[in-house]
Amino acid sequence: MRLGRIASPDGVAFVVIEGDPNSDAVCKEIAEQYLSRNPTFTGRSWPLADVRLLAPILASKVVCMGKNYAAHAREMGSEPPEDPVIFLKPNTAIIGPNIPIQLPADANPVHHEGELAVVIERPCKDVPAAKAKDFILGYTIANDVSARDQQQKDGQWMRAKGHDTFCPIGPWIETAVDPADLDIRTEVNGQKRQDSNTALLLHDVGAIIEWVSAVMTLLPGDIILTGTPEGVGPIEDGDTVSITVDGIGTLSNPVVRKGK
């Protein structure tokens, strides 16, 4: 099942998206003011072509995994960590598909980081890895946009990764995908930058949820970014970043420089 959030001529709605997104998909409105794997419907619907996709969820927090692919850890100049490394992005960084990533005037370089993202369905704390799937709504795509100069200068990652628009997610949430073996690719202006597979995650989704939920309570709609593979690189004013995860779709965002 494909879950999303749209802006239609009638307002904003949570929906189930049925059919081929490239041709005849229809958005069926969900009665509840939240997303679940067991939705009820209002009876209203719109062709996907007639609505605008928004960020599929508004999270209370975005939890991110750092250095969760060995090759990416090494390209950033360090060895893969033994334990998971986590950090937070503010929910104000979230944007949806086709919304511009705004590069701060004083940040350079700013990098893309294509990632598989997990969406939590219900509150959970201290979840064993073996039971993690019971608390997962589904999976989406994320871009952990990062201002590398600020990251290096500050010695920690909050400012560098926390700017408004620095967490594109979407285009929807897929509930039926298996996260263990998914190709993930990032292109900038049609040129391939990242090409990997989630089988290479150092800590898989179950282990991530066990680690994170031991630290903090996860709430419905919270998002966990699972980490980016090697191949991160700069994005510039006028670029378009497209991240594809097999079984989910493609998340695309243009890039603009603030102040221009």
Side-chain angles (χ1 to χ4, degrees):
M1 183 166 54
R2 191 177 289 129
L3 301 169
R5 193 168 66 97
I6 63 166
S8 78
D10 302 306
V12 174
F14 287 114
V15 296
V16 172
I17 302 167
E18 297 182 348
D20 184 352
N22 296 314
S23 58
D24 60 353
V26 173
C27 301
K28 299 174 64 176
E29 186 179 36
I30 295 171
E32 297 84 4
Q33 295 301 304
Y34 57 87
L35 293 176
S36 78
R37 286 173 287 180
N38 298 291
T40 54
F41 297 99
T42 67
R44 296 202 301 176
S45 65
W46 305 268
L48 179 60
D50 293 347
V51 303
R52 179 165 58 90
L53 286 167
L54 306 175
I57 202 76
L58 296 176
S60 74
K61 55 185 172 290
V62 182
V63 186
C64 306
M65 296 289 299
K67 303 178 182 180
N68 202 26
Y69 288 82
H72 172 60
R74 293 189 177 106
E75 80 174 346
M76 298 304 292
S78 63
E79 286 301 305
E82 181 177 348
D83 292 326
V85 174
I86 61 175
F87 60 94
L88 295 173
K89 279 181 176 277
N91 58 11
T92 49
I94 295 172
I95 56 172
N98 304 311
I99 300 300
I101 298 166
Q102 298 184 33
L103 307 180
D106 60 349
N108 190 45
V110 176
H111 282 189
H112 62 78
E113 294 192 5
E115 309 199 12
L116 174 70
V118 184
V119 182
I120 298 298
E121 183 173 21
R122 54 196 178 97
C124 58
K125 181 76 169 75
D126 297 321
V127 178
K131 295 186 176 181
K133 65 181 181 180
D134 296 338
F135 298 90
I136 295 172
L137 174 64
Y139 300 87
T140 189
I141 304 168
N143 188 351
D144 176 20
V145 183
S146 306
R148 292 296 183 213
D149 56 336
Q150 295 178 359
Q151 186 176 3
Q152 187 173 45
K153 180 179 180 180
D154 294 353
Q156 49 85 16
W157 302 354
M158 189 66 202
R159 178 170 70 122
K161 292 172 175 280
H163 289 278
D164 290 354
T165 77
F166 270 28
C167 190
I169 62 169
W172 40 66
I173 298 164
E174 178 58 63
T175 64
V177 73
D178 181 351
D181 184 16
L182 298 173
D183 288 337
I184 179 169
R185 300 175 298 279
T186 301
E187 294 183 350
V188 177
N189 304 328
Q191 299 298 311
K192 185 169 64 178
R193 292 277 187 87
Q194 295 179 280
D195 189 359
S196 190
N197 188 283
T198 57
L200 298 175
L201 285 168
L202 296 173
H203 307 283
D204 65 14
V205 169
I208 290 169
I209 290 179
E210 180 174 299
W211 183 270
V212 173
S213 70
V215 177
M216 66 190 77
T217 299
L218 293 169
L219 300 176
D222 280 353
I223 301 167
I224 303 176
L225 276 56
T226 59
T228 196
E230 74 277 14
V232 301
I235 51 177
E236 305 287 351
D237 181 70
D239 287 346
T240 297
V241 185
S242 297
I243 302 163
T244 299
V245 176
D246 285 355
I248 301 177
T250 299
L251 169 67
S252 292
N253 296 89
V255 180
V256 299
R257 175 72 67 176
K258 290 171 67 176
K260 288 195 66 175

